[in-house]
Amino acid sequence: MRVTSSMFYQDTIRNNNNLNSELYNVTNRISSGIDIRYAQDDVIKFASTMQLDNEMTTLTQAKNSTQSGYKFSAQTDTALGDISKLLDQFKVKLTAAATDGNSYVSMDAIAKELRGIEETMTNIFNTSIGGEFIFSGTALDKRPISDTKEYMGNDGDLKTFSGSNVQQVYNVSGEKLFFGDENGVQRNISTNIPLINQTLLHPNIMENETIPANMGEEKYINIEDTIRDMMGDSDTTINTTTAQHHFYIQGKRSDGESFKDVISMRDDESVESLLNKIGESYGNTINQDVVNVTMNNWGQIEIQDKLSGSSQIDFNMIANTGTAVTDLNELFATGNNIKEFINSDFTSTPALHKTATVQDYYDQKLYTLPVSFNQVNGVDAKNTDLIQNFLKDANGNAVDRIDMNFIVTESDGTINTLNGINLVVDATTTFKDLEDSIKTQFASATLDTDINIQIQDGVMKISDITSRAADPKTNSSIYLDLTTHNTTLGTNIATMHTPSSASQDNSYFDNSGALVTSNVPQITRDGNSFATEMTKLSEVATGARLPTPNSNLADLTNTNLKLEGK
């Protein structure tokens, strides 16, 4: 084959065009900031980009939908609260009308007052948001209560999109509110913290260390999963011999009788076995169930009362892995790994004078103090806040000294211990001063451990930031305990708040300005009705029962009703 000058020329032109094309593409990427413009530029990047765009759209939709549902449900809650107060007034008026000795004039006055309450309730039932009536079910454009007092809506549920294949009902239809006998027949209660399968979420920690950490997936717990899947673990070992997971249950049975129970289970036992044991605590037997204990699609435990007309069942549960305790306060004072199942917006929670760090299962260089530094009004502390504004006991006594003990195991196995460290707290001491004090003690007491401290949402977190701690499964071992003290009183004072899930023995009052309101309704054990001022404590109290014929009363002999306030 003969190579001509023309062929050289064509080859040069072709190469030049290719270079110009590549230069044009690079220039476009630099000027626009866009790596690819068309699918053919990079198929893999284009597919990944489309997937991310889809996920961003889904998250945006979930956020907007949830916010809309929250506003709707908040207005519904307010309306139901107002209706509840009006019904109490209605009951009082009916009781007054039933009293002997009322004249026709007084009866007529009571009747007018009842009509007034009825009209007020009708107006509340016809509450709307942006032209949508909140009690009409899915018939949002129809006023639920007509002038003839007929219900014009339906029993449809409004559902908010809160994630992939996850929907949540956020309305109460008038059909269920006015005619829903099923709620009066069988009460349903539920935990409100969704549970994720920890083995699937952290396979690199719980299954095989060679699995990449980003291979984890979120999947809600179901009854076929194991207790280890629910509680989590710090290694790949499955303990099939020792019951090391302890579930502390407190509740009320259908007849109003309180109970407490501790259920201990092994790693390999199933969640279904736990649900069955919870049912046994309520009185379920082989031959008869008094409650149905199930788990919904979001990993939340649901309990249904099978007794007609009962509204007294209650349930609270918290769990730890390790050693069982007799006092729940020990869970937060001795550094236990804790699992919560119920979260509640209490304005006050039990307080402790001592707490200790807990090592994270899945990032073992991270340690947390399992208490909150916050005020009575729920404001969480920041590191710039004054300690004495937050760390006060129920009587308003502020901490003036914080005692600390340290134990650090170094990478070479050296154990460094430093006990009896005191931080004097005055009117100018901030949480930043506490952080600096802890850092200083670590620097003086250890060989190769450096730490970072931050307070987030009122919770102190400590991270081992030495080079040896780069791997999440570090051999780092840090222990720190804090004790709050008041020198004037000469005693330790309880100032650090535990989660509301630990409030099994206390009832708290919600605070709104100058008004405090109890957040636990008192229901008579026999009549299943709300207590009044004239109701005896024994008619609503729970605990040991008296022998017949007074079996409906609780024995309050030698017991105390403890009230604390400020």
Side-chain angles (χ1 to χ4, degrees):
M1 176 179 177
R2 187 167 64 89
V3 178
T4 65
S5 299
S6 174
M7 294 175 65
F8 277 117
Y9 175 79
Q10 292 176 357
D11 186 65
T12 301
I13 293 298
R14 182 168 56 254
N15 290 337
N16 185 62
N17 289 338
N18 290 338
L19 289 173
N20 286 336
S21 177
E22 291 180 8
L23 180 61
Y24 175 79
N25 290 335
V26 171
T27 303
N28 274 342
R29 291 180 182 178
I30 295 174
S31 61
S32 66
I34 300 175
D35 192 23
I36 58 173
R37 300 177 64 88
Y38 306 101
Q40 63 268 24
D41 293 343
D42 191 322
V43 176
I44 295 177
K45 286 185 179 179
F46 184 82
S48 298
T49 301
M50 293 297 292
Q51 181 180 0
L52 291 173
D53 286 343
N54 181 64
E55 291 179 0
M56 290 177 63
T57 301
T58 300
L59 290 173
T60 301
Q61 290 175 345
K63 178 183 178 181
N64 295 336
S65 178
T66 303
Q67 288 178 338
S68 177
Y70 174 77
K71 294 177 182 178
F72 197 98
S73 61
Q75 185 61 46
T76 301
D77 186 66
T78 300
L80 290 175
D82 293 338
I83 291 169
S84 177
K85 295 176 182 178
L86 289 171
L87 287 174
D88 286 339
Q89 296 178 26
F90 203 91
K91 182 174 64 175
V92 171
K93 299 299 180 183
L94 287 177
T95 303
T99 303
D100 294 337
N102 284 316
S103 65
Y104 286 108
V105 175
S106 61
M107 292 290 286
D108 185 62
I110 292 174
K112 289 181 179 179
E113 291 183 37
L114 292 175
R115 287 295 182 189
I117 294 175
E118 178 190 20
E119 289 300 320
T120 303
M121 285 195 294
T122 299
N123 291 334
I124 295 175
F125 287 136
N126 287 332
T127 298
S128 64
I129 302 177
E132 296 180 343
F133 294 96
I134 63 176
F135 292 115
S136 292
T138 55
L140 296 173
D141 58 340
K142 291 185 178 180
R143 189 169 58 137
I145 306 298
S146 67
D147 294 335
T148 59
K149 301 298 184 290
E150 293 180 302
Y151 180 64
M152 307 303 294
N154 58 36
D155 63 348
D157 292 331
L158 298 175
K159 298 181 179 181
T160 180
F161 169 75
S162 56
S164 179
N165 298 321
V166 177
Q167 292 181 322
Q168 184 71 42
V169 176
Y170 64 88
N171 75 313
V172 178
S173 70
E175 179 77 22
K176 295 176 180 177
L177 187 62
F178 307 139
F179 313 110
D181 292 338
E182 69 276 9
N183 288 336
V185 174
Q186 292 179 326
R187 186 185 184 193
N188 291 273
I189 57 178
S190 170
T191 59
N192 59 7
I193 297 180
L195 301 177
I196 304 295
N197 187 310
Q198 298 297 305
T199 303
L200 297 179
L201 187 62
H202 303 283
N204 59 314
I205 301 294
M206 295 181 61
E207 286 189 307
N208 192 320
E209 296 180 2
T210 62
I211 299 177
N214 60 4
M215 293 299 292
E217 62 173 316
E218 287 193 3
K219 182 179 179 182
Y220 293 111
I221 284 288
N222 60 56
I223 61 173
E224 297 177 352
D225 292 329
T226 66
I227 296 299
R228 182 173 181 268
D229 294 331
M230 174 192 290
M231 297 293 293
D233 206 344
S234 59
D235 53 40
T236 59
T237 303
I238 300 176
N239 192 324
T240 60
T241 58
T242 305
Q244 59 180 353
H245 305 289
H246 312 286
F247 300 84
Y248 307 92
I249 299 173
Q250 181 271 336
K252 285 185 181 179
R253 300 187 177 97
S254 300
D255 59 3
E257 184 177 6
S258 282
F259 70 90
K260 283 189 176 182
D261 204 355
V262 180
I263 299 174
S264 299
M265 304 195 71
R266 303 188 311 271
D267 275 348
D268 59 326
E269 293 186 89
S270 68
V271 172
E272 185 176 21
S273 298
L274 172 62
L275 301 184
N276 290 336
K277 291 184 179 182
I278 293 174
E280 292 171 4
S281 296
Y282 278 92
N284 286 356
T285 64
I286 297 177
N287 301 320
Q288 182 182 17
D289 286 347
V290 296
V291 295
N292 292 326
V293 185
T294 58
M295 180 161 282
N296 63 26
N297 294 332
W298 299 278
Q300 297 166 323
I301 298 173
E302 294 186 343
I303 301 174
Q304 181 188 61
D305 194 348
K306 300 184 70 174
L307 181 65
S308 299
S310 173
S311 60
Q312 301 193 69
I313 63 169
D314 196 9
F315 179 70
N316 186 61
M317 185 167 74
I318 191 170
N320 80 301
T321 299
T323 304
V325 299
T326 56
D327 182 352
L328 290 185
N329 288 341
E330 296 179 28
L331 295 180
F332 306 94
T334 56
N336 284 273
N337 284 289
I338 302 167
K339 174 72 72 174
E340 297 180 62
F341 297 85
I342 298 174
N343 181 39
S344 178
D345 188 21
F346 284 118
T347 54
S348 297
T349 55
L352 302 176
H353 70 269
K354 182 178 180 179
T355 187
T357 51
V358 177
Q359 186 178 31
D360 190 276
Y361 272 159
Y362 312 114
D363 186 356
Q364 296 178 15
K365 64 179 182 295
L366 177 63
Y367 299 81
T368 304
L369 289 178
V371 294
S372 297
F373 302 137
N374 52 40
Q375 295 174 325
V376 174
N377 58 6
V379 176
D380 294 324
K382 305 183 296 295
N383 65 350
T384 56
D385 288 322
L386 297 174
I387 290 178
Q388 290 190 344
N389 288 346
F390 286 80
L391 298 188
K392 297 181 180 180
D393 66 10
N395 297 317
N397 300 307
V399 61
D400 59 17
R401 194 183 78 204
I402 297 178
D403 302 332
M404 295 174 281
N405 297 306
F406 302 86
I407 302 176
V408 181
T409 303
E410 302 294 349
S411 56
D412 62 358
T414 303
I415 299 178
N416 294 291
T417 302
L418 193 59
N419 294 329
I421 303 301
N422 301 323
L423 172 67
V424 177
V425 179
D426 57 27
T428 64
T429 308
T430 67
F431 283 96
K432 178 65 165 55
D433 296 325
L434 174 60
E435 294 175 1
D436 291 341
S437 176
I438 295 173
K439 286 183 178 180
T440 299
Q441 299 307 324
F442 269 95
S444 64
T446 65
L447 299 176
D448 63 352
T449 298
D450 194 10
I451 62 171
N452 182 49
I453 304 178
Q454 63 174 341
I455 295 179
Q456 183 177 0
D457 298 327
V459 177
M460 178 178 288
K461 297 183 178 181
I462 301 174
S463 299
D464 184 344
I465 59 174
T466 54
S467 58
R468 66 185 174 84
D471 184 352
K473 286 189 68 63
T474 177
N475 57 357
S476 167
S477 178
I478 294 175
Y479 173 86
L480 162 67
D481 65 51
L482 299 181
T483 302
T484 51
H485 188 85
N486 183 284
T487 306
T488 302
L489 298 176
T491 183
N492 298 325
I493 56 175
T495 64
M496 298 174 287
H497 294 287
T498 61
S500 58
S501 56
S503 305
Q504 292 192 350
D505 294 315
N506 302 277
S507 296
Y508 296 96
F509 284 71
D510 292 322
N511 173 257
S512 178
L515 177 68
V516 290
T517 307
S518 64
N519 56 28
V520 178
Q522 301 300 310
I523 302 174
T524 59
R525 297 177 58 170
D526 279 355
N528 197 42
S529 59
F530 289 108
T532 66
E533 293 180 354
M534 302 306 295
T535 303
K536 297 178 181 178
L537 290 178
S538 57
E539 294 174 343
V540 297
T542 60
R545 291 175 172 268
L546 289 174
T548 56
N550 296 319
S551 59
N552 63 314
L553 303 180
D555 186 1
L556 300 182
T557 304
N558 297 323
T559 62
N560 295 311
L561 174 63
K562 184 179 182 181
L563 299 176
E564 293 182 355
K566 183 171 62 173

